[in-house]
Amino acid sequence: MKIAVLPGDGIGPEIVAEAVKVLEALRREGLPLALEQAPIGGAGYDACGDPLPEATLRLAASADAVLLGAVGGLQYDLLPRPQRPEQGLLRIRKGLGVFANLRPALVYPELAAASALKPEVVSGLDILIVRELTGDIYFGQPKGIRNNAKGEREGFDTMLYSESEIRRIAHVAFKAAAKRGGKLCSVDKANVLETSQLWREVVTAVGREYPRVELSHMYVDNAAMQLVRAPRQFDVVVTGNMFGDILSDEASMLTGSIGMLPSASLDAGSKGLYEPIHGSAPDIAGKGVANPLATILSAAMMLRYSFAQEKTAARVEGAVRKVLAQGLRTVDIHEPGSRQVSTREMGDAVVAAL
Ligand code: NAD
């Protein structure tokens, strides 16, 4: 089980070190993990003048899974676009062909008060958003800015999905739903968009192969509303790149803390890129206070999706629950009455709970 570890910038190295601690603990127990580090983002630029050094992509391509921290920093913001840290992230996602982005939004009972919504609306929430990551209006051609017949500038993009692209993301979502609560909601805008009409047809057809999963369809505007009105009605949500971009950020805020949310981006096999959903948090970098739990939970997703170690993944998630129940909190989730701990103390506590 070869893992490429790419800490990146800002708090990246701090939070990744804690996830590595958890993986090392599992390795000592006998899990055959092999970890190798490489620079990405600003760290890649500093080391080799490229946010995705060739050696880093080679390592990631040859590994079974990639654990990534975060990229970005003020000192890189004035670089030409191809050299900026974010390009490293976009290129590695594309380079690895990871088209299925899985983002769980889970509200731990201990943290329900941190949500922007009332605890009774979000308590016990457990949603998985499956977002298509490599197609749609973000990549469709043609796109550009041109002069129209009246000599006025106009901007245009192309929303585009092929049947095969829809089919492969639908399979990922149906399989995930079959392993969870057995409910899948496909989100589109089929009342207006042709792309969505095809999306709905193909998802429905794929659904016939999963008779045990209950499939429903919802327009994206309604989904945006239902996510804040009654989010617990959802189990798994599948949607395209743009709708998923927006809805997954909305869903993440139901949980209250960006420092708690993991993600997985998967290819057609079992390879995945696992990273917390937050950025490099330059405002707290180097202070040892960042929350490492999103990264540790990303490592748990890696054990589940790339290495089929469901039991071990659940054990890591259970350990995270346990430290929260013990009242341990990093600064982002701290509240009166809880014990504030550092990044390192939180990692150590998870290892101890394991
Ligand atoms: P951010 O997610 O880095 O930070 C937003 C806020 O949340 C900050 O106040 C930060 O301190 C806090 N925060 C984030 N993660 C935390 C954690 N684990 N523990 C405690 N607090 C945490 O977003 P931003 O400030 O908009 O962006 C900062 C940099 O990160 C930029 O350079 C941006 O481009 C980059 N970025 C990278 C990624 C990525 O690598 N996937 C994603 C988003 C932003």
Side-chain angles (χ1 to χ4, degrees):
M1 301 176 177
K2 183 175 168 189
I3 304 170
V5 178
L6 316 180
D9 310 318
I11 61 169
E14 300 166 48
I15 52 176
V16 164
E18 301 312 311
V20 165
K21 241 185 225 171
V22 172
L23 292 170
E24 290 288 355
L26 295 170
R27 193 172 61 81
R28 282 194 299 274
E29 281 182 7
L31 205 61
L33 299 172
L35 281 64
E36 197 175 326
Q37 288 212 9
I40 192 169
Y45 176 77
D46 289 341
C48 320
D50 184 349
L52 181 61
E54 221 181 289
T56 300
L57 182 59
R58 219 178 311 123
L59 171 71
S62 70
D64 301 307
V66 180
L67 181 67
L68 198 143
V71 301
L74 286 176
Q75 67 271 44
Y76 307 110
D77 281 355
L78 294 176
L79 289 172
R81 189 171 291 278
Q83 267 119 50
R84 288 204 206 143
E86 294 73 15
Q87 290 301 313
L89 201 58
L90 295 179
R91 278 167 52 203
I92 195 169
R93 286 176 183 157
K94 208 160 182 63
L96 297 178
V98 288
F99 66 89
N101 184 228
L102 271 54
R103 275 207 198 180
L106 200 138
V107 173
Y108 295 87
E110 294 84 3
L111 301 181
S115 170
L117 298 190
K118 296 187 196 111
E120 62 265 32
V121 175
V122 294
S123 189
L125 180 80
D126 183 359
I127 306 179
L128 177 68
I129 301 214
V130 178
R131 165 190 171 193
E132 202 287 331
L133 205 57
T134 54
D136 205 359
I137 195 161
Y138 295 172
F139 293 93
Q141 293 291 341
K143 61 165 71 208
I145 297 172
R146 64 189 171 200
N147 287 320
N148 66 15
K150 287 189 231 149
E152 190 188 2
R153 288 200 312 153
E154 60 184 19
F156 61 101
D157 298 272
T158 304
M159 180 177 261
L160 190 119
Y161 265 123
S162 67
E163 278 186 278
S164 59
E165 284 175 314
I166 303 169
R167 208 175 293 121
R168 67 179 185 176
I169 190 77
H171 278 293
V172 171
F174 276 107
K175 286 194 177 111
K179 281 195 198 151
R180 290 172 42 106
K183 274 168 59 179
L184 177 64
C185 179
S186 171
V187 170
D188 61 36
K189 189 75 183 168
N191 49 344
V192 182
L193 299 171
E194 300 296 325
T195 318
S196 282
Q197 205 170 314
L198 181 71
W199 177 279
R200 193 174 277 218
E201 268 174 39
V202 174
V203 171
T204 304
V206 171
R208 291 189 197 106
E209 297 175 41
Y210 300 87
R212 286 226 275 278
V213 175
E214 182 194 320
L215 172 66
S216 61
H217 302 274
M218 195 179 275
Y219 297 136
V220 62
D221 42 347
N222 188 22
M225 182 178 77
Q226 296 299 335
L227 267 177
V228 288
R229 193 189 72 84
R232 276 181 307 207
Q233 69 186 280
F234 297 106
D235 175 19
V236 180
V237 172
V238 63
T239 189
N241 203 346
M242 179 166 64
F243 299 155
D245 189 1
I246 299 164
L247 293 181
S248 61
D249 267 25
E250 186 189 4
S252 73
M253 274 299 100
L254 301 175
T255 71
S257 174
I258 200 166
M260 292 295 303
L261 296 166
S263 79
S265 304
L266 309 176
D267 74 357
S270 60
K271 181 140 175 175
L273 173 73
Y274 300 85
E275 54 181 327
I277 71 156
H278 59 72
S280 55
D283 52 334
I284 56 167
K287 296 187 178 154
V289 298
N291 187 346
L293 294 179
T295 316
I296 291 173
L297 292 166
S298 300
M301 291 186 86
M302 170 189 293
L303 293 166
R304 171 172 296 121
Y305 292 105
S306 284
F307 300 136
Q309 298 285 323
E310 174 56 41
K311 260 202 195 138
T312 313
R315 248 182 85 208
V316 173
E317 289 161 353
V320 167
R321 275 204 188 94
K322 195 161 167 195
V323 299
L324 292 174
Q326 286 165 352
L328 270 59
R329 303 282 188 275
T330 40
V331 62
D332 56 315
I333 50 175
H334 184 249
E335 66 215 325
S338 64
R339 198 181 122 211
Q340 194 172 321
V341 295
S342 67
T343 308
R344 200 174 293 162
E345 287 169 317
M346 189 58 113
D348 289 340
V350 173
V351 171
L354 256 185

